[in-house]
Amino acid sequence: MTVTSTPAQTALITGASRGLGAAIARELAPTHELLLGARSADALKPILTELPEATGWPVALTDYPAVAAAAAQIPRLDVLVHNAGIADLGTVAESSVEQWRETLEVNLIAVVELTRALLPALRAANGHVVLINSGAGLRAHPGWGSYAASKFGLRAFADALRQEEPALRVTSLFPGRIDTDMQRAIVADEGREYRPEEFLTPETVAGAVRTALDTPGDGHPTEIVLRPR
């Protein structure tokens, strides 16, 4: 009797060089062939040293011709985790057109375009799209207007994609604030002491991604909300 092994699923994680993206990469490494995305090859060196079986995918996500060319090299994709994003905070009165445009470009438009470019590969695998949203995608607070708008838009995109592509599973994950370098910068801007215990760990959020992916095929985990205790 010949026993054939099932090929490992392939997962592309954006923003995988550090923080939450790197934690998701570590979580999925035992079971997935990983494509790890970041703006540059240099940014990926530490995580690729740690996970030598993974493959770097250095693409600037707002360079849409480069995104299209890189996506065309992926014939099949089981998992797409949209983790890359920015948080440029400020009140409406203090904000600028450039701030709003860049935030929406990185957090929403680039996500849409990468997904669109990878739809053939995702369809080939009946794949799973996971969008790392935010509590700001459910409610907006003072000073978070442009960021929340981008995340509200991301939720709308997920809802539309889920209905337009019924062969795919589409999960929006809404974590509270996470202990990352980005969070440290936000807290410093808020002018208060940084206390890591106030925030979710990246590993906890990565575990929620794993839970979504491991949900049996008869279930569709559409939204997961995760808050610090």
Side-chain angles (χ1 to χ4, degrees):
M1 181 177 66
T2 300
V3 178
T4 58
S5 60
T6 302
Q9 292 193 340
T10 299
L12 169 59
I13 305 165
T14 69
S17 63
R18 59 194 178 104
L20 177 57
I24 295 170
R26 295 184 192 103
E27 178 69 34
L28 299 188
T31 53
H32 290 73
E33 294 181 357
L34 297 180
L35 298 172
L36 302 184
R39 294 179 184 177
S40 69
D42 284 345
L44 286 166
K45 286 180 179 178
I47 190 63
L48 291 176
T49 299
E50 180 182 347
L51 302 175
E53 299 300 316
T55 300
W57 203 74
V59 181
L61 297 179
T62 55
D63 183 346
Y64 300 126
V67 167
Q73 303 303 310
I74 303 174
R76 178 186 173 93
L77 186 63
D78 299 278
V79 177
L80 172 59
V81 181
H82 286 291
N83 171 70
I86 61 171
D88 186 3
L89 308 182
T91 66
V92 172
E94 296 167 343
S95 63
S96 65
V97 170
E98 291 74 17
Q99 176 190 338
W100 281 79
R101 181 178 289 124
E102 183 181 17
T103 300
L104 291 168
E105 185 83 22
V106 173
N107 291 355
L108 178 58
I109 297 171
V111 171
V112 174
E113 183 58 15
L114 177 58
T115 306
R116 192 191 67 78
L118 287 169
L119 275 178
L122 289 162
R123 288 168 178 160
N126 290 335
H128 197 152
V129 180
V130 178
L131 300 108
I132 305 300
N133 202 297
S134 166
L138 299 172
R139 63 191 62 82
H141 295 289
W144 291 70
S146 61
Y147 182 77
S150 70
K151 294 298 188 177
F152 269 68
L154 193 64
R155 184 186 188 189
F157 168 65
D159 290 346
L161 181 67
R162 191 178 299 116
Q163 296 176 73
E164 292 173 1
E165 299 288 337
L168 307 183
R169 293 201 291 182
V170 180
T171 301
S172 287
L173 179 59
F174 300 91
R177 295 171 72 163
I178 308 168
D179 178 21
T180 61
D181 290 344
M182 178 186 288
Q183 196 65 242
R184 288 180 180 275
I186 292 171
V187 171
D189 190 59
E190 292 171 336
R192 60 190 183 91
E193 180 184 357
Y194 190 82
R195 297 171 58 85
E197 64 272 17
E198 294 180 358
F199 309 115
L200 293 162
T201 68
E203 291 73 23
T204 293
V205 181
V209 173
R210 163 69 74 181
T211 297
L213 297 179
D214 286 350
T215 300
D218 63 321
H220 195 152
T222 57
E223 294 188 345
I224 298 173
V225 179
L226 196 62
R227 293 284 178 269
R229 293 187 62 181

